[in-house]
Amino acid sequence: MRLVDFDVLTFDCYGTLIDWESGILAALAPWRKRAGVTLGDEALLTLFSEVESKIEAERPTLLYSDLLTATLLEMGRRSGHGATQTEAAAFGQSVKDWPAFPDSADALAYLKQHYKLAILSNVDRASFAHSARKLGQSFDLVVTAQDVGSYKPALAHFEVALAKLAAMGIPKQKVLHTAQSLFHDHVPAKKMGLTSFWIDRRAGKTGTGATKPPPEEVKPDGTAPSMAALVAMHMRETAR
């Protein structure tokens, strides 16, 4: 696989471009302190991954901000440290505070010179608008869960994006799906016949953090530990 062989990079946003694990933990801090939650960070992220993905599958048309609210209420029930409605509602609105990874904006600015850039995200439009400002780019295409009425790993994000890109004259073979989550992104990307590139933001860590482990083995076509490393790979290819 060569990066220069593609015309479009489709990105997952949260976990790939936005540091959602740091954002999630920061947003959970008031509840943890008030309720005396004793779970460590990794255990809490694992609990989040289990609850969030279950609600996404069961209530696919729920806005992501409301889904986060429901997620904290269920995390409270499962952990034995109940969350208040106020705490859950604040967590639901926390996406606006989740930080971008330090390399994301610069990497996207570089890549924009060489590719069309698209977002395929499990989020609502209002929440994504805050993140887009942190990333500093106007994307050529944005497909959210709110738009398609389902959450990845369901295939609707990919079906809609590929149809819109095809209408622009861009075939599937020229699209590289770039993402951190094997569960949410690489498994469905492969089902769609897409080439995929893994931004392994958790390289060196055990477990899968805020994302569930994939239900089956999946092999991305390329990998790098960061967006900066992806840019460096592209620079090496174009310098040859």
Side-chain angles (χ1 to χ4, degrees), residues 142-156:
V142 175
V143 181
T144 70
Q146 182 179 3
D147 299 325
V148 301
S150 66
Y151 287 92
K152 297 178 294 180
L155 299 180

Side-chain angles (χ1 to χ4, degrees), residues 212-224:
K212 284 184 67 176
E216 59 201 63
E217 184 178 4
V218 60
K219 294 183 178 180
D221 299 279
T223 184

Side-chain angles (χ1 to χ4, degrees), residues 120 141 143 148 150 152 154-166 188 191-192 194:
L120 278 60
L141 176 65
V143 181
V148 301
S150 66
K152 297 178 294 180
L155 299 180
H157 283 77
F158 298 90
E159 293 167 344
V160 168
L162 289 174
K164 290 188 175 184
L165 291 171
K191 288 180 179 177
M192 294 296 298
L194 283 166

